[in-house]
Amino acid sequence: MNSVKQAPWQADALLLLVTALAAGGWIFSKEALAGMPPLLFIGTRFLLAGLILLGFAWPALRQMPVRRIQRGLLVGVLFSAAIAFWVLGLHHSNHLGESAFINSLGILLVPVVARLLFGDRPPRSTWVALPVALLGFALLSLNAGFNIEASQLLMACAALCFALLINVNTRVVRNVPALPLTTLQLISVGVVLTGLSLVVEHQPLAMNTSILGWFIASVLLASSLRFFLQIKAQSMTTPSHAAVILMLEAVWTALLAAWWFSETMTLLQLLGCSLIFAALLINRWYWVRKVLLRWLPGQTP
């Protein structure tokens, strides 16, 4: 009997905790950005998180061929582009809930990118979901007065980069275990973006006890602990099942932002975010149904 059948509820519980930590990361990051330049913040955050995970991944890394390590670090450069767009979008965002839903479009774009670059044939549900998501994004743009805000564009670029990253990860470094790969990519992002910050950013640091606390929370909770638990949970279930639960990150982010920053949504924002989330559900409907059947008493997928 495999581990997926042995502990389905443990995997689901861990993944729900991961989504909560990821959503908390949006709050931690937004608060920390009040006193740190965006690229310096995300670069040092990922570098420290990668070094922490290195302690757990070191035995596996020592056994890995140099070529695989190099591939993991190189793919980390693509990760750097995705996370740079994300943090710049977050820096300019006045509405975290909206930004989180735009960022979640990356999940929907994975099969589209696979079709364009690798010739894969996406499931029919992707083509049904895509116009729904585009309508949702259009409504968010209309909310800004027929304009796409800088934060919206940056988050859309981040979503596209994340979709490309997922495709590359499944092809270029498919034989690298998850924990060493995550460690290599976090360190790569940290080195690239910290170095880039030293060259292009001139915003002075405004560190105080509060900013330092948010930064530490971002490193320990939203990065190191989050990725460690995500890797563990994904090893206990299937990737498609995990992806369904991880979609909840945007929902938790919107709820946390409403509580912490007193954010509210206009009708257009609410409709736009709802359509994007509906598109994600449509795109993953086969697996959404399996998850629901698992959670309903007396039902089997």
Side-chain angles (χ1 to χ4, degrees):
M1 181 178 294
N2 60 41
S3 59
V4 176
K5 292 184 178 180
Q6 287 176 342
W9 71 267
Q10 288 96 328
D12 291 352
L14 282 176
L15 287 168
L16 286 172
L17 178 57
V18 166
T19 60
L21 289 170
W26 287 74
I27 307 297
F28 304 156
S29 299
K30 188 65 174 178
E31 291 284 10
L33 287 173
M36 298 183 70
L39 296 180
L40 180 63
F41 161 72
I42 203 67
T44 52
R45 167 185 162 178
F46 273 54
L47 182 59
L48 289 175
L51 292 175
I52 290 172
L53 289 183
L54 183 61
F56 299 94
W58 182 248
L61 283 170
R62 290 183 60 186
Q63 305 299 321
M64 284 174 53
V66 175
R67 181 176 297 179
R68 289 188 181 179
I69 293 176
Q70 291 174 337
R71 286 181 179 178
L73 291 172
L74 286 174
V75 174
V77 176
L78 177 57
F79 194 4
S80 299
I83 206 67
F85 280 123
W86 177 83
V87 76
L88 290 172
L90 180 65
H91 179 64
H92 291 285
S93 176
N94 294 316
H95 203 290
L96 266 64
E98 177 187 278
S99 295
F101 277 99
I102 295 174
N103 186 65
S104 68
L105 287 172
I107 299 173
L108 177 61
L109 292 173
V110 169
V112 178
V113 171
R115 172 64 177 174
L116 293 175
L117 296 185
F118 305 106
D120 291 359
R121 182 172 297 178
R124 188 176 302 173
S125 59
T126 296
W127 303 120
V128 177
L130 195 58
V132 177
L134 291 175
L135 178 59
F137 186 75
L139 289 177
L140 295 178
S141 301
L142 287 172
N143 185 70
F146 297 97
N147 291 313
I148 298 179
E149 297 177 347
S151 61
Q152 294 173 333
L153 181 60
L154 288 165
M155 282 297 173
C157 290
L160 181 59
C161 287
F162 279 124
L164 179 59
L165 175 66
I166 293 171
N167 275 284
V168 172
N169 269 337
T170 59
R171 288 167 171 82
V172 178
V173 288
R174 66 173 65 188
N175 296 321
V176 180
L179 181 57
L181 175 60
T182 302
T183 302
L184 290 171
Q185 292 188 352
L186 290 181
I187 292 175
S188 181
V189 170
V191 171
V192 170
L193 294 186
T194 301
L196 184 61
S197 170
L198 296 177
V199 175
V200 303
E201 288 186 323
H202 306 291
Q203 174 185 336
L205 281 172
M207 296 293 288
N208 54 38
T209 304
S210 175
I211 298 297
L212 183 60
W214 292 117
F215 175 73
I216 293 173
S218 297
V219 172
L220 298 181
L221 299 180
S223 297
S224 298
L225 182 60
R226 173 230 176 143
F227 284 114
F228 183 82
L229 293 179
Q230 183 171 331
I231 291 165
K232 180 176 178 62
Q234 287 178 325
S235 71
M236 299 165 64
T237 186
T238 63
S240 295
H241 181 92
V244 170
I245 299 177
L246 292 174
M247 287 192 305
L248 293 174
E249 177 186 339
V251 177
W252 302 149
T253 301
L255 292 175
L256 281 177
W259 170 63
W260 189 257
F261 294 116
S262 300
E263 286 189 358
T264 57
M265 287 193 180
T266 65
L267 180 60
L268 282 177
Q269 284 178 311
L270 185 60
L271 287 174
C273 291
S274 298
L275 284 173
I276 290 174
F277 191 66
L280 297 176
L281 294 178
I282 293 169
N283 187 48
R284 292 278 184 174
W285 179 246
Y286 173 78
W287 293 99
V288 169
R289 181 176 176 275
K290 293 192 73 172
V291 172
L292 292 176
L293 289 176
R294 173 185 285 186
W295 287 352
L296 291 174
Q299 302 291 327
T300 55

